Amino acid sequence: TDLIFNQGVDLPGFAAFPMVDSSDGRARLRDYYLKLIALGRDTGVGIILDTPTWMANPDRAKGVGYAASDLPRLTGAAVDLAREVAVAHPDVATRVSVQIGPRGDGYQPGIAAAETSARYHAPQVEAAREAGADMVSAYTMGSTGEAIGISIAARRSGIPALVSFTIQTDGGLADGTPLSAAVGQLVETAEPFAICVNCAHPDHIAKSLDGGAWQASLAGIVANASRQSHAELDNAETLDEGDPVELGRQLADLRRSLSGIRVLGGCCGTDLRHLREIARRVGSDG
């Protein structure tokens, strides 16, 4: 949303991965990574450099003119770009992560069967491992089956996986599963490296929290600045950037109340202002 609304970048089909195939796109991504590195240096926090490959799966890539056979090359090139920036700035702790998205619309239930999901996402996971990524990060998972499948694919490939659910304004997944149950099932069946929540405002995330033991398994929150529903975000013609200061404060509060949180970031409506505010508050908390 920052690229589209704030920087005027045309991303057909919401796909950012084609940027890796152009010199202008690579330059813009490199600049973004450098700004994240600077943020980490200024605030003392570690930085995850995610590749722009959230839509680099066969179904979604087809809509923007790419074949499945193109995707391993793109994944490798994206990792190389992020790694180049990380290696040039060893004073900042970084992790290079290949971002994985759902097979379909992230706001829909997605793949229901774990083994179907594991087979579908395995090529991208394996490409990440072969390219030398530190981890894969599966964001905006609307079904427990697809989240479990990606975790299984990562375990088989031998690469750590961060798996992140998205929730509706009522605190539940698109497939109807309460976040507590989704996290519990993921822990029991696949045990990914980290479990997170993304693409939801802190107000909506708070609705899913019940004080149960499962909350200790939450490792991160990558929050929306906007309080809009997924349907409203899909149809938005202007950017709802929320309030960076408020978002930073809310995430800092959630971090203090959830013992396992170690990853914080911004999703829809956020930009470097929001990230800097979040990092500043995290740094001040120690």
Side-chain angles (χ1 to χ4, degrees), residues 6 14 23 42 50 59 62 67 101 104 134 140 143 147 150 165 192 202 205 229-230 277 284 286:
N6 294 332
F14 208 65
S23 57
D42 292 345
D50 270 312
D59 285 66
K62 182 178 180 180
D134 295 312
T140 326
S143 79
I150 293 174
F165 294 108
I205 294 169
S229 68
H230 288 165
E277 185 65 28
S284 65

Side-chain angles (χ1 to χ4, degrees), residues 97-112:
S97 175
V98 168
Q99 191 171 150
I100 296 174
R103 181 176 184 172
D105 187 334
Y107 297 158
Q108 300 301 319
I111 300 174

Side-chain angles (χ1 to χ4, degrees), residues 43-45 247-258 261 264 276-286:
T43 60
V45 301
L247 186 67
R249 182 178 64 250
Q250 287 185 299
L251 287 184
D253 289 345
L254 283 171
R255 180 173 179 260
R256 283 190 288 269
S257 67
L258 296 168
I261 297 294
L264 291 171
R276 185 167 289 277
E277 185 65 28
I278 294 165
R280 183 185 70 79
R281 288 181 177 273
V282 171
S284 65
D285 281 352

Side-chain angles (χ1 to χ4, degrees), residues 104-190:
D105 187 334
Y107 297 158
Q108 300 301 319
I111 300 174
E115 188 56 40
T116 299
S117 170
R119 290 194 301 269
Y120 182 81
H121 291 288
Q124 190 177 19
V125 172
E126 185 61 18
R129 186 195 64 78
E130 291 182 354
D134 295 312
M135 56 194 286
V136 296
S137 296
Y139 282 108
T140 326
M141 295 293 114
S143 79
T144 52
E146 191 158 17
I148 290 169
I150 293 174
S151 301
I152 291 171
R155 185 174 60 198
R156 289 171 179 169
S157 187
I159 188 169
L162 178 156
V163 178
S164 184
F165 294 108
T166 187
I167 56 175
Q168 313 282 1
T169 55
D170 64 1
L173 273 63
D175 70 358
T177 306
L179 181 61
S180 57
V183 170
Q185 291 175 39
L186 187 54
V187 170
E188 291 172 8
T189 56

Side-chain angles (χ1 to χ4, degrees), residues 5-280:
F5 290 100
N6 294 332
Q7 301 185 42
V9 179
D10 184 23
L11 297 179
F14 208 65
F17 70 85
M19 295 174 70
V20 178
D21 258 352
S22 75
S23 57
D24 288 347
R26 290 191 299 274
R28 191 179 290 274
L29 290 169
R30 184 179 293 107
D31 180 65
Y32 215 118
Y33 289 150
L34 288 171
K35 288 176 179 176
L36 289 171
I37 291 287
L39 186 155
R41 182 178 295 115
D42 292 345
T43 60
V45 301
I47 298 293
I48 296 175
L49 298 180
D50 270 312
T51 60
T53 51
W54 184 71
M55 283 189 56
N57 65 53
D59 285 66
R60 307 197 81 181
K62 182 178 180 180
V64 290
Y66 284 82
S69 58
D70 296 322
L71 302 180
R73 172 187 62 79
L74 279 161
T75 296
V79 170
D80 288 345
L81 177 61
R83 180 69 67 195
E84 174 189 314
V85 175
V87 168
H89 300 276
D91 59 310
V92 177
T94 59
R95 292 290 182 271
V96 173
S97 175
V98 168
Q99 191 171 150
I100 296 174
R103 181 176 184 172
D105 187 334
Y107 297 158
Q108 300 301 319
I111 300 174
E115 188 56 40
T116 299
S117 170
R119 290 194 301 269
Y120 182 81
H121 291 288
Q124 190 177 19
V125 172
E126 185 61 18
R129 186 195 64 78
E130 291 182 354
D134 295 312
M135 56 194 286
V136 296
S137 296
Y139 282 108
T140 326
M141 295 293 114
S143 79
T144 52
E146 191 158 17
I148 290 169
I150 293 174
S151 301
I152 291 171
R155 185 174 60 198
R156 289 171 179 169
S157 187
I159 188 169
L162 178 156
V163 178
S164 184
F165 294 108
T166 187
I167 56 175
Q168 313 282 1
T169 55
D170 64 1
L173 273 63
D175 70 358
T177 306
L179 181 61
S180 57
V183 170
Q185 291 175 39
L186 187 54
V187 170
E188 291 172 8
T189 56
E191 294 185 287
F193 172 69
I195 301 174
C196 301
V197 183
N198 81 289
C199 207
H201 190 272
D203 287 357
H204 306 150
I205 294 169
K207 292 180 181 179
S208 68
L209 303 178
D210 57 12
W214 66 273
Q215 291 181 186
S217 297
L218 285 178
I221 298 172
V222 180
N224 287 350
S226 172
R227 288 180 168 84
Q228 292 181 332
S229 68
H230 288 165
E232 289 170 328
L233 289 171
D234 261 345
N235 294 312
E237 296 183 0
T238 58
L239 183 65
D240 179 2
E241 60 187 25
D243 181 342
V245 174
E246 179 190 47
L247 186 67
R249 182 178 64 250
Q250 287 185 299
L251 287 184
D253 289 345
L254 283 171
R255 180 173 179 260
R256 283 190 288 269
S257 67
L258 296 168
S259 61
I261 297 294
R262 58 186 188 273
V263 177
L264 291 171
C267 200
C268 293
T270 65
D271 54 42
L272 287 163
R273 294 171 303 151
H274 300 77
L275 297 185
R276 185 167 289 277
E277 185 65 28
I278 294 165
R280 183 185 70 79

